[in-house]
Amino acid sequence: MQKKQIVMFGGAFNPPLNSHFSLAEQIVNENKQVEKVIFVPVNSLYEKVELICNEHRYQMLKAVCDKNEKFEVSTIEMDSPRPLYTIETLQELQKQYPEYEIAFMIRK
């Protein structure tokens, strides 16, 4: 039996776009083992020009994710006192969801 998956969708989400959510829906719909997509916005400490503050990006993501039971927003990176490497975020999610295989996707 194939292990259930959670897909971590990392990015700035500055702002979140319809294409982010469309891609997440496609991943869930086309992969039966994927139980949910967790959006993980980067911390505003991340060096990106004109990055909207953490709270605003979080609230924008949450407003859409609350409408889809397969979507969730994590503040793992936003709560960190320093920018995290992707591997650190993946390791933290694996600790939180040990019964799942964690996959990573990013929209370019």
Side-chain angles (χ1 to χ4, degrees), residues 44-96:
S44 59
L45 299 173
Y46 182 75
E47 293 182 20
K48 183 173 173 105
V49 177
E50 298 180 15
L51 191 60
I52 300 167
C53 76
N54 285 344
E55 184 62 22
H56 289 1
R57 288 180 295 119
Y58 172 79
Q59 290 301 332
M60 287 186 285
L61 280 167
K62 187 161 175 29
V64 174
C65 289
D66 283 350
K67 296 174 184 175
N68 187 324
E69 65 182 17
K70 299 263 185 176
F71 293 175
E72 185 178 308
V73 184
S74 171
T75 60
I76 289 173
E77 292 195 10
M78 290 181 163
D79 292 341
S80 176
R82 64 172 178 77
L84 296 177
Y85 293 102
T86 302
I87 188 67
E88 294 174 298
T89 304
L90 288 166
Q91 289 168 339
E92 185 57 38
L93 277 177
Q94 190 66 74
K95 286 180 198 171
Q96 291 179 14

Side-chain angles (χ1 to χ4, degrees), residues 2-10 23-24 27-28 31-40 69-74 76 86 89-106:
Q2 196 170 23
K3 197 170 190 179
K4 292 292 186 179
Q5 289 183 345
I6 290 175
V7 175
M8 177 188 132
F9 192 169
L23 179 57
I27 293 295
V28 168
N31 299 280
K32 298 299 179 206
Q33 73 276 16
V34 175
E35 290 200 357
K36 68 175 147 182
V37 173
I38 300 178
F39 292 81
V40 183
E69 65 182 17
K70 299 263 185 176
F71 293 175
E72 185 178 308
V73 184
S74 171
I76 289 173
T86 302
T89 304
L90 288 166
Q91 289 168 339
E92 185 57 38
L93 277 177
Q94 190 66 74
K95 286 180 198 171
Q96 291 179 14
Y97 300 95
E99 67 279 12
Y100 289 91
E101 179 178 277
I102 307 296
F104 176 70
M105 82 169 169
I106 188 164

